[in-house]
Amino acid sequence: MKIAIGCDHGGIALKPLILALLSELGHEVSDQGTNSESSVDYPHYAQSVCDLVASGECDRGILVCGTGIGMSMAANRNPKIRAALCSDIFTSRMSREHNDANVLCLGARVTGPGLAEEIVRTWVTTDFAAGRHLQRIQMF
Ligand code: RB5
């Protein structure tokens, strides 16, 4: 898959790990920044990633900020985006199986590196179950 990734200064600690994991799993990554610890505004990075997913240029997106909350709020303003803020493996799996989440949001100040890697691994390897879940996501 082609996966867009973006973070702010609060999320930068997780980004190198996620980039390495996605590459190990054979995915192509489009890194939309930020690339330093200088303070930036997360909505810009959320929008860059969501634009790539909404246009079909990327299959999915991953956004990381301090809590994941701001990124998920900003991402979900986009009609074609179903962003899921996940801090455990169960919600990561369900966000794919039941919600067909096309953007994963993580909080680098909430979720440690080992768990974050497993959340990402689960999220990129889990398929949408469709069926009754398809009707539901078509309702919004
Ligand atoms: C930045 O300090 C922080 O507010 C941001 O990373 C994020 O947690 C917002 O939701």
Short mmCIF file of all heavy atoms in Angstrom, two decimals, residues 8-11 42 65-71 109, ligand 1:
data_model
loop_
_atom_site.label_atom_id
_atom_site.label_comp_id
_atom_site.label_asym_id
_atom_site.label_seq_id
_atom_site.Cartn_x
_atom_site.Cartn_y
_atom_site.Cartn_z
N ASP A 8 3.08 16.15 14.30
CA ASP A 8 3.56 17.45 14.77
C ASP A 8 4.72 17.19 15.73
O ASP A 8 5.19 16.04 15.86
CB ASP A 8 2.42 18.27 15.39
CG ASP A 8 1.97 17.74 16.75
OD1 ASP A 8 2.45 16.67 17.18
OD2 ASP A 8 1.13 18.40 17.39
N HIS A 9 5.18 18.25 16.39
CA HIS A 9 6.32 18.09 17.31
C HIS A 9 5.99 17.12 18.45
O HIS A 9 6.86 16.42 18.94
CB HIS A 9 6.72 19.46 17.87
CG HIS A 9 5.59 20.18 18.52
ND1 HIS A 9 4.56 20.74 17.78
CD2 HIS A 9 5.29 20.41 19.82
CE1 HIS A 9 3.69 21.30 18.60
NE2 HIS A 9 4.09 21.11 19.85
N GLY A 10 4.73 17.06 18.84
CA GLY A 10 4.33 16.15 19.93
C GLY A 10 4.31 14.70 19.50
O GLY A 10 4.32 13.80 20.34
N GLY A 11 4.30 14.47 18.21
CA GLY A 11 4.22 13.09 17.71
C GLY A 11 5.50 12.59 17.09
O GLY A 11 5.59 11.43 16.66
N TYR A 42 -0.64 21.19 14.26
CA TYR A 42 -1.00 19.85 13.73
C TYR A 42 -2.06 19.85 12.62
O TYR A 42 -2.03 18.97 11.76
CB TYR A 42 -1.42 18.90 14.87
CG TYR A 42 -2.62 19.35 15.66
CD1 TYR A 42 -3.90 19.14 15.21
CD2 TYR A 42 -2.46 20.02 16.88
CE1 TYR A 42 -5.01 19.57 15.93
CE2 TYR A 42 -3.55 20.45 17.60
CZ TYR A 42 -4.82 20.23 17.12
OH TYR A 42 -5.91 20.66 17.82
N CYS A 65 0.20 12.95 16.90
CA CYS A 65 0.48 14.17 17.66
C CYS A 65 0.70 13.75 19.11
O CYS A 65 0.94 12.57 19.38
CB CYS A 65 -0.63 15.21 17.48
SG CYS A 65 -2.25 14.76 18.09
N GLY A 66 0.65 14.68 20.04
CA GLY A 66 0.92 14.31 21.43
C GLY A 66 -0.09 13.31 21.97
O GLY A 66 0.27 12.29 22.54
N THR A 67 -1.36 13.62 21.77
CA THR A 67 -2.42 12.73 22.27
C THR A 67 -3.11 11.96 21.17
O THR A 67 -3.83 11.00 21.46
CB THR A 67 -3.51 13.57 22.98
OG1 THR A 67 -4.04 14.51 22.02
CG2 THR A 67 -2.95 14.31 24.19
N GLY A 68 -2.99 12.42 19.94
CA GLY A 68 -3.75 11.85 18.82
C GLY A 68 -5.12 12.50 18.68
O GLY A 68 -5.80 12.32 17.66
N ILE A 69 -5.52 13.28 19.67
CA ILE A 69 -6.88 13.85 19.68
C ILE A 69 -7.02 14.96 18.63
O ILE A 69 -7.97 14.96 17.83
CB ILE A 69 -7.24 14.39 21.08
CG1 ILE A 69 -7.29 13.24 22.09
CG2 ILE A 69 -8.58 15.12 21.04
CD1 ILE A 69 -7.41 13.72 23.55
N GLY A 70 -6.09 15.89 18.63
CA GLY A 70 -6.18 17.00 17.68
C GLY A 70 -6.13 16.49 16.24
O GLY A 70 -6.92 16.92 15.39
N MET A 71 -5.23 15.55 15.98
CA MET A 71 -5.11 14.99 14.64
C MET A 71 -6.42 14.31 14.23
O MET A 71 -6.88 14.46 13.09
CB MET A 71 -3.96 13.99 14.56
CG MET A 71 -2.58 14.60 14.56
SD MET A 71 -2.25 15.57 13.06
CE MET A 71 -0.45 15.60 13.11
N ARG A 109 2.49 10.83 23.25
CA ARG A 109 2.65 11.06 24.69
C ARG A 109 1.74 10.13 25.49
O ARG A 109 1.68 10.22 26.71
CB ARG A 109 2.33 12.52 25.02
CG ARG A 109 3.31 13.51 24.38
CD ARG A 109 2.86 14.95 24.57
NE ARG A 109 3.79 15.87 23.92
CZ ARG A 109 3.49 17.11 23.58
NH1 ARG A 109 2.28 17.60 23.82
NH2 ARG A 109 4.39 17.88 22.99
C1 RB5 B 1 1.06 19.88 21.04
O1 RB5 B 1 1.56 20.40 22.22
C2 RB5 B 1 -0.19 19.07 21.30
O2 RB5 B 1 -1.24 19.91 21.65
C3 RB5 B 1 -0.54 18.25 20.07
O3 RB5 B 1 0.53 17.42 19.75
C4 RB5 B 1 -1.73 17.32 20.21
O4 RB5 B 1 -1.63 16.54 21.36
C5 RB5 B 1 -3.05 17.94 20.06
O5 RB5 B 1 -4.09 17.28 20.12
#
